[in-house]
């Protein structure tokens, strides 16, 4: 069953250097092991509150629901 289980992990901080400057990336990764579908969302920090907001933003957002409906069909 898609999204019955979600594997999550925090990645970073990574230092990314480009021609326009240096920035630091921290992100939350979410993977559905049933389908292999994954999402990555940049986060400000790794606090529990920040992780919850990022998870809810991805799973509740309308664009995410649209993508999942297309994926599951």
């Amino acid at each position: 069953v898609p999204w019955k289980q979600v594997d999550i992990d925090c990645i970073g901080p990574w230092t990314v250097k480009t021609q326009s400057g240096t920035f630091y990336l921290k992100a939350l990764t979410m993977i559905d092991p049933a389908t292999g579908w994954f999402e990555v969302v940049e986060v400000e920090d790794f606090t529990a509150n920040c992780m919850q907001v990022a998870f809810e933003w991805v799973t509740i957002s309308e664009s995410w629901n649209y993508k999942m409906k297309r994926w599951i069909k």
Side-chain angles (χ1 to χ4, degrees), residues 10 15 25 34-35 37 53 62-64 68 72:
C10 300
T15 302
L25 174 68
T35 64
W37 184 276
V53 169
E62 193 60 39
S63 63
W64 184 85
M68 284 310 302
I72 292 170

Side-chain angles (χ1 to χ4, degrees), residues 3 6 8 27-32 37-43 50-68:
W3 296 100
V6 178
I8 63 171
L28 175 67
T29 63
M30 295 158 274
I31 302 169
D32 172 19
W37 184 276
F38 68 94
E39 294 282 343
V40 179
V41 61
E42 187 174 4
V43 295
C50 192
M51 298 294 103
Q52 177 187 353
V53 169
F55 183 80
E56 289 176 352
W57 181 81
V58 169
T59 58
I60 295 174
S61 74
E62 193 60 39
S63 63
W64 184 85
N65 289 328
Y66 174 75
K67 287 187 289 187
M68 284 310 302

